[in-house]
Amino acid sequence: MTVTATFARDFPTERDSGCPFDPPAEYTELRAQEGTASLACPVGVEARVVSRYADVRAMLGDPNLSSHAAPSTHVVAGGLLDRPVAPGSLLNMDGPGHARLRRLLTPEFTVKRIQAMRPYIQGLVDDHLDALLARTGPVDLVRDFALPIPSLVICELLGVDYADRDRFQEQTAVLIGTNSDPAALEQANLEVVGFMTQLVLTKLAAPGDDLLGRLIVRARESGQELSVEELVTLGITLLIAGHETTANMIGLSTLALLRQPDQLAALRADPGLAGTAVDEMLRYLSIVQFGVLRQATGDVTIGDETIKAGEWLVAALSAGNRDESVFPDPDRIDLKREATAHLAFGYGIHQCLGQQLARVELQEVFARLHQRIPTLRLAVPFEDIEFKNDALVYGVRALPVTWDGENR
């Protein structure tokens, strides 16, 4: 059956200021209606917005949907939907080219390899908590805790000098903003590419025992040697994705839990809840806030609806994660909820390669932060917190916190 889009209006990008943790209210309406709505996106095209959980999974698992304009070009005003896909651009590639890169990278993100990093990550979390507790507060939990931990982890993985992180984080913020100044965007891109090119050339000359070094060796030994451009693009993708998403999750989830004292009390009482808590917060917050963009390369079926070749679709991840048919009472945090089937990491062949690493980092934070600082609280009124409404990855810009004297 073919269903005509029921109405056309602007793609929702604004959250309810009364509850900044919830996705736009329009998603609830979209899930309830028949078919998919065709909405006008800031980039200047109309796209079908897929908002029901089952439909989002079906969409992201369909090989006839191209990710060439991924991940969220639809909300970047003036974005280039038809820009050529750069060699090594894992997020934008389809078919055999994507499969080749994914195969080469997968050994670096196995459960066994990531679990082997857990002691290192535990040490980082405790070291940063020690540094916080040595101060009298208030402190910015984003700057002093949420950002440096995932930055150190991904730098360790890639073999990047951690001393370079501050400038890199500044440029990353520009690159993932939806309203960045074009000149600033170009300059940020030049700096990041230049930085990564130098790193790649160093690794090619003498591959070390780090992700980039092992990747270079693995590709050579398999007869699939990677070009400098491929390695640069892969390195930038991993460096940005590896710290930006996890850092924002640490800050935003801490704030959300501080607003839910019953759930926070349960986590403090039982650090073993960290496993389910992480997936529940990933579901609840869905920080890839505008979803992911795809284009049909052939006719596809989503639910009872036929989508024609050439049409654009947006998988609204946050809408699917609030689908009440899958997650009862979805607008409530329940840290005991088994939410591992959430869509925060996407689905299908482009599902986040580093999801196990993100889980381990978040588990160690959840299991340690609130146990060691049980009186953690906001140092400013909640209304003063500034949210990243104009970024592809949602979070808070700063999180001033303080605590009482009894800590561990």
Side-chain angles (χ1 to χ4, degrees):
M1 146 180 180
T2 300
V3 179
T4 303
T6 53
F7 57 90
R9 64 185 191 208
D10 289 342
F11 180 86
T13 57
E14 299 296 327
R15 294 170 180 258
D16 182 351
S17 59
C19 188
F21 304 113
D22 288 344
E26 290 94 331
Y27 286 147
T28 301
E29 178 185 347
L30 295 177
R31 282 198 306 274
Q33 72 174 54
E34 183 182 6
T36 58
S38 181
L39 305 186
C41 298
V43 76
V45 301
E46 285 196 356
R48 304 292 190 95
V49 179
V50 180
S51 56
R52 287 179 285 274
Y53 178 89
D55 292 344
V56 170
R57 279 174 59 108
M59 171 185 159
L60 294 179
D62 196 312
N64 289 318
L65 291 172
S66 171
S67 65
H68 72 88
S72 302
T73 313
H74 56 294
V75 295
V76 181
L80 302 175
L81 292 177
D82 297 320
R83 61 186 171 186
V85 175
S89 185
L90 195 66
L91 297 178
N92 304 86
M93 296 176 73
D94 302 308
H98 171 266
R100 165 181 169 255
L101 293 181
R102 187 97 180 186
R103 280 194 302 270
L104 288 171
L105 277 169
T106 294
E108 299 299 324
F109 294 97
T110 61
V111 172
K112 181 178 180 180
R113 186 178 288 277
I114 297 306
Q115 287 299 331
M117 293 190 68
R118 191 181 285 272
Y120 169 73
I121 295 168
Q122 289 173 348
L124 283 182
V125 174
D126 281 332
D127 287 349
H128 282 79
L129 288 172
D130 288 344
L132 289 181
L133 291 171
R135 300 167 61 177
T136 57
V139 301
D140 177 4
L141 200 74
V142 170
R143 182 192 62 211
D144 298 327
F145 186 76
L147 269 174
I149 291 171
S151 294
L152 277 165
V153 171
I154 198 64
C155 286
E156 175 76 9
L157 264 180
L158 293 177
V160 173
D161 186 348
Y162 185 64
D164 294 321
R165 74 177 178 90
D166 286 342
R167 185 59 180 162
F168 182 80
Q169 286 170 354
E170 290 175 13
Q171 302 308 333
T172 296
V174 175
L175 291 174
I176 68 168
T178 61
N179 296 305
S180 296
D181 175 75
L185 192 62
E186 182 178 1
Q187 181 61 32
N189 187 62
L190 285 172
E191 286 197 29
V192 171
V193 169
F195 166 79
M196 188 56 67
T197 299
Q198 187 57 52
L199 179 66
V200 163
L201 292 174
T202 300
K203 301 292 181 184
L204 282 168
D209 188 21
D210 50 57
L211 186 151
L212 282 176
R214 290 189 296 268
L215 180 61
I216 288 166
V217 172
R218 188 180 301 117
R220 286 173 178 170
E221 291 178 346
S222 66
Q224 304 176 69
E225 189 158 357
L226 294 164
S227 68
V228 171
E229 189 175 1
E230 285 177 312
L231 286 164
V232 167
T233 304
L234 281 172
I236 291 171
T237 300
L238 293 170
L239 199 53
I240 292 177
H243 88 271
E244 189 69 29
T245 50
T246 306
N248 279 291
M249 266 302 299
I250 292 171
L252 192 62
S253 60
T254 299
L255 178 60
L257 286 172
L258 288 174
R259 302 287 289 176
Q260 297 288 329
D262 60 329
Q263 295 296 310
L264 184 52
L267 181 61
R268 284 176 178 146
D270 181 10
L273 274 180
T276 57
V278 164
D279 279 299
E280 171 66 349
M281 296 308 291
L282 285 163
R283 177 201 71 82
Y284 179 74
L285 295 172
S286 301
I287 61 172
V288 180
Q289 64 172 331
F290 303 118
V292 293
L293 184 66
R294 298 286 188 267
Q295 187 176 34
T297 58
D299 290 358
V300 300
T301 300
I302 304 295
D304 291 330
E305 185 171 7
T306 298
I307 309 296
K308 297 295 186 181
E311 287 194 74
W312 294 96
L313 299 93
V314 175
L317 305 179
S318 59
N321 278 336
R322 297 293 184 97
D323 189 331
E324 55 278 357
S325 71
V326 179
F327 305 105
D329 200 4
D331 297 330
R332 182 177 67 88
I333 296 172
D334 178 2
L335 297 187
K336 295 182 180 180
R337 189 197 305 264
E338 294 288 344
T340 54
H342 63 75
L343 300 165
F345 292 122
Y347 184 73
I349 62 171
H350 283 281
Q351 191 173 41
C352 175
L353 193 60
Q355 61 179 288
Q356 296 306 327
L357 178 60
R359 280 192 172 98
V360 169
E361 292 179 72
L362 292 168
Q363 287 165 7
E364 293 305 320
V365 168
F366 278 35
R368 283 168 155 67
L369 173 61
H370 299 291
Q371 280 67 48
R372 293 198 56 191
I373 314 181
T375 57
L376 188 75
R377 62 184 182 274
L378 286 179
V380 298
F382 176 72
E383 293 73 21
D384 290 350
I385 301 296
E386 185 180 356
F387 292 84
K388 295 182 178 180
N389 296 303
D390 60 348
L392 303 182
V393 180
Y394 193 53
V396 291
R397 300 195 188 282
L399 189 62
V401 294
T402 190
W403 53 84
D404 297 332
E406 67 278 10
N407 298 290
R408 306 166 204 168

